[in-house]
Amino acid sequence: MNKKGLSILMRIRMRPNSASKLSLSPLTNVLNQTQMNSQGNQSASSNTEREFELVRASMNSAISMNKTEVLDAVLNDFSAGYFNLDHENRRRLLLVLAKEYDLNRTQVRELIKQYLGLEPPSGENAQSSGLEEEGLLSTFYRTERNLRHALKPVYEVLFERLNTHPGGLRFLSSLRADILSILAEENIASLRALDSYLKEKLSTWLSPAALELHQITWDDPASLLEKIVAYEAVHPISNLLDLKRRLGVGRRCFGYLHPAISGEPLIFIEVALLKNVAQTIQEVLWDDPPILECEATCALFYSISSTQPGLSGINLGKFLIKRVITLVKRDMPHISTFATLSPIPGFMQWLLSKLASQSKLAEAEGMSQSSADGSGSTFWENILEPEEEKAIMDSSAGIAAGKTGMEVMLNLLTSTNYEWTNSAELLSVLKPPLMRLCARFLLQEKKRGKALDSVANFHLQNGAMMERINWMADRSEKGLCQSGGIMVNYVYRLENIEEYAQSYFSKGHIHASADLRCHWRNMEKEQIRRFP
Amino acid sequence: MNKKGLSILMRIRMRPNSASKLSLSPLTNVLNQTQMNSQGNQSASSNTEREFELVRASMNSAISMNKTEVLDAVLNDFSAGYFNLDHENRRRLLLVLAKEYDLNRTQVRELIKQYLGLEPPSGENAQSSGLEEEGLLSTFYRTERNLRHALKPVYEVLFERLNTHPGGLRFLSSLRADILSILAEENIASLRALDSYLKEKLSTWLSPAALELHQITWDDPASLLEKIVAYEAVHPISNLLDLKRRLGVGRRCFGYLHPAISGEPLIFIEVALLKNVAQTIQEVLWDDPPILECEATCALFYSISSTQPGLSGINLGKFLIKRVITLVKRDMPHISTFATLSPIPGFMQWLLSKLASQSKLAEAEGMSQSSADGSGSTFWENILEPEEEKAIMDSSAGIAAGKTGMEVMLNLLTSTNYEWTNSAELLSVLKPPLMRLCARFLLQEKKRGKALDSVANFHLQNGAMMERINWMADRSEKGLCQSGGIMVNYVYRLENIEEYAQSYFSKGHIHASADLRCHWRNMEKEQIRRFP
């Protein structure tokens, strides 16, 4: 879930257009080599079979080689060679790695046979066991250890070696970005197993203890600040002045740095110091600070961006948020509220598909507006309340037409240039159903027991609660397209973070304010009334 | 094998006398707290059952707790509580950890049953497999992953959490020192399994990539230098002046530091810059440099000391030596030879037990000197050559008596105050058999296919070769007691290190100079002559 959460937060990097796809930065000197690399990639579409075989051979050496003094050279060859491969050959190579370097299953089965033939320790009488019994136990533990080792894929060697090789961690992150990009196109079980193993390894190596929390300021090297501009995925930074403002008075920016991936944060968070929890993004993206820092009582997280697509699914955000809260509290004790102003990237997609399918269903069954009471089909559901339906049908003239409220709403929401947002009447007609359905979407729509919305899932698993949804909070094209301009405030309370994260993780329980829950309850009552 | 090598190198720390046993340094502020601690230990002999139960409860919380904000406190409680336990209660607690927090074997067996029922990927047709087959494969990989996870002991959680906790790595090293000390007294299979798991974890966390090579100089903090004095295990440092000399002109000292164990190197090596490979320790432990540094052609490693008994068996020495060679070569290109002057801690023990058992055998079978040709018993072997036997019998009068040359030799070598070393005649009589038998011991005596002598095993597995044995190289009581005063030079050649280490590791092959091998060959011929 987390994977998806972060992937949305950084969708610009996660879904590169096909031109730039897989042209990832190589091990050293990102900027210079990126150019070389993209040139390499252009010619790389004609990778010869020989080129592929060379990289494959260096990969094999990197795994089987025992001479450490040549190993560094082999690892360099392999990573350089890999970056020169085109998409198709990277795919082929990764499949070779996943399939031919997994584990020796004959050995695993042999060990399982041995293991099942041995008497496990009983616990109770082990204390008083004699020498002979200790001998049998030793055999048991040794077989267990051998089985544990045999179950490790051979490609672990490559990962371990790259991890301790200069630039290797960054390379592994690029490798995983490629794997994810391939898996997004087709589901290959062996490659998914490789990905899951690599992800576990990366999680260990990127444990919070290995990460350095760094406050990013205007005094940081330009090479680092440039990365902030490049990777900011939520509210793009337009120019240097804009960047300077985001690092200036009334704002903070914090990032997690890893010693092996120098010069760029793995993830960074932007904070605005405010009097109250902001309801619109305009309140946050000001040019001049609206208040003195000492008057602030709220730290608002308005953007979290992850820079490494290959680290998708590894929850760095949770630790970052907790550490930032602790740090801000220590430096500014007058700040008592920690909240976000977050997009709802999945809302419109869910709503439009719901409206479209219901409208189709209605059309197929020849329903008229008058029969729109749900009696016609068990699959059909009018997600609008009667008064909303009426208001929509009454006010739509001129922009959109339709036989049912839902059809009209669908046509309104998909009208070019979001025309509906220019009409005060339509805004007031659409606000009640959109706010209500948004609350329903956030609180009720789930996937495998977790919030369907990726950003919601991200904050909920970090231990936040849903506080409030805000009408016309982001009128940018992106904001209207994603969520009809609605944004949501999540609130972090240090004392509840672990409890909330835990109950969300184990039971999918979503903590929400009474205010937000109100919309949902109204809707529930509505449903109960309709389907008694 | 490595374990034993290092344990001998640091035997002073590894085998604490019973008074100081287990009074290990706590997490922070080693010096102050060591005192508190040893006081704690004195009163700790009366640990109440309640104290034990409290530590056990905090250990359980440290493993099962999910609230990160309390976890730090729990881990602190646990480590502080652990240090206050006496030997017996630490033993009890470690057994609880080993036995009650290992793995869920019911779950393992359940997963094995599932796993064996699934079709493994075949490799050949996996490429062309359809959607359904990918689904089956997914199940297979998932079950395999679950089995892999189920085979991890529960105590891994404690290790992982301590590793990312401030001071935790040092605590884990102390914990393992205790485990090793218990295992030295009694072999408990579950505790050995715990140790082997912890050792694997520590090896990962202490990979060379995580270690910083630091040249220790007189400019380093006194708190660090004090550790060098305390831990130097090969040639003790007598006073500050002695320490200053070891860091001064003509000498170098390098250590490996880990960020999580600050202020003391995990292992350090002392180097003397010489004209030739030294034959005696007196040539190394000079007060004033015998030559200018620019005249040196040899860097002699005269001492390697490990400071953490809990890291026994984790080969930090190999990487340290390789990096030191590279560094010295870069800074002083005129240095071309890298060698050691090393003790042979196992020689006398082996020789005396051989002499004693053969003498007893001879006595039991009523052999006289004249029947000492081996015909009396198949187990009996005269390890002396006829001319050696004769010389010993002729010259022993006054100090030692005996019916056979071996019995006389045994009595000579075990005479009080090493009296034999004061007689020029005895020295010249004993030199040929001792040098010959020392070469045999180093080159031929093995245990599980590896050199029996622990220091030999250490250097051989690091990729060194045996160059030369030196008569009366260390006349100190320790030197005479360990090896009759003989020392050995191992030579490191960067270009051969990996090859030699590999062939020693896989085939037990010992690379030695022709000179050294000569002794062995003579002896071999001798054996062939005697048992044709």
Side-chain angles (χ1 to χ4, degrees), chain A residues 47 55 96 117 127 139 186 188 253 285 304 308 310 317 341 382 408 452 457-458 482 484 493:
Chain A
N47 279 143
V55 183
V96 167
Q127 195 91 16
T139 311
E186 50 180 331
I188 307 164
C253 182
L285 300 178
I304 302 178
Q308 306 287 319
L341 183 62
N382 190 351
V408 175
L452 181 60
N457 182 54
F458 174 76
Q482 285 186 344
R493 292 193 179 89

Side-chain angles (χ1 to χ4, degrees), chain A residues 121-124 127 141, chain B residues 52-53 56 59-60 63 92-105 153-155 190 194:
Chain A
S122 57
E124 283 75 29
Q127 195 91 16
Y141 284 117
Chain B
F52 175 79
E53 286 305 331
R56 183 182 169 144
M59 182 170 80
N60 185 64
I63 292 174
R92 277 175 69 198
L93 193 80
L94 290 168
L95 284 179
V96 168
L97 185 64
K99 288 178 179 167
E100 294 176 23
Y101 295 89
D102 63 346
L103 33 102
N104 181 343
R105 301 213 162 77
V154 176
Y155 46 67
S190 59
L194 177 88

Side-chain angles (χ1 to χ4, degrees), chain A residues 68 105 134 148 151 189 322, chain B residues 68 134 148 189 322 498:
Chain A
T68 48
R105 300 213 163 77
E134 284 296 337
R148 184 157 60 226
L151 279 164
K322 280 178 63 176
Chain B
T68 49
E134 285 295 337
R148 185 158 57 226
K322 281 178 63 176
E498 289 305 323

